[in-house]
Amino acid sequence: MQGKHRRVGFRVLSASLSAQEIAQRAGLRPASLGEIDEPATFELPQSAARLETAWVVDSPLDIAWPLEERLDALLDAVEPYARRLHQLGDGCLMHIFIGSDAVAHATGCALLGPTLLERLSALPGEGVLIEAPETARRTAALAALTGALFDT
């Protein structure tokens, strides 16, 4: 499993289905998952509880690969299950997640060509969520502050 900020993955969030139910219905094993009421951030066990199940399939390629190739490999892994993912229904929020370190590691920019965009648009979900590096820094700072408050 890659750290959140290094991740290029397909994420399903649900307030009504468990991660096991999502995996069973999708027919696909996740790289990581989190259940309702578990800590939202496993790196900080004292973090706020999850309000929804999080189920994530990661690209099989790590951060050393170009972003376009990581997305392509993720799509190769997820596309065979697209019909089953569509059937999860409206109770699920689905999207491609690109972490801030994955964005920063791209050499200057990343070109998502028409074929890749067409493949992305065929998947269920709301689109592609790209985490900005500044957001990641703020989240880490808030998590550190929260951790310091709970440690006292």
Side-chain angles (χ1 to χ4, degrees):
M1 178 180 77
Q2 301 178 50
K4 173 185 174 187
H5 302 295
R6 299 174 75 93
R7 170 172 281 153
V8 172
F10 182 79
R11 182 162 63 181
V12 177
L13 303 174
S14 177
S16 59
L17 297 175
S18 71
Q20 183 63 34
E21 289 173 306
I22 294 169
Q24 224 169 15
R25 291 182 186 187
L28 186 59
R29 191 170 150 211
S32 65
L33 53 88
E35 296 287 358
I36 294 173
D37 293 331
E38 289 182 345
T41 305
F42 288 110
E43 293 84 15
L44 289 168
Q46 68 274 23
S47 65
R50 288 184 181 281
L51 300 177
E52 71 278 318
T53 297
W55 181 93
V56 183
V57 174
D58 283 335
S59 172
L61 301 179
D62 68 21
I63 199 164
W65 291 82
L67 181 57
E68 300 89 334
E69 291 184 40
R70 293 179 74 192
L71 278 168
D72 192 51
L74 174 64
L75 290 169
D76 287 345
V78 173
E79 281 174 330
Y81 303 91
R83 184 181 58 75
R84 293 179 80 169
L85 290 165
H86 275 287
Q87 292 173 347
L88 288 175
D90 294 334
C92 294
L93 174 73
M94 294 177 255
H95 56 262
I96 299 289
F97 178 83
I98 301 174
S100 60
D101 289 350
V103 173
H105 195 272
T107 54
C109 65
L111 174 65
L112 305 183
T115 302
L116 191 55
L117 290 172
E118 184 177 337
R119 290 177 71 192
L120 286 167
S121 68
L123 287 179
E126 285 65 41
V128 179
L129 175 66
I130 301 172
E131 180 185 55
E134 185 58 33
T135 302
R137 283 192 290 277
R138 286 184 193 151
T139 302
L142 181 60
L145 176 61
T146 304
L149 291 174
F150 279 98
D151 286 341
T152 58

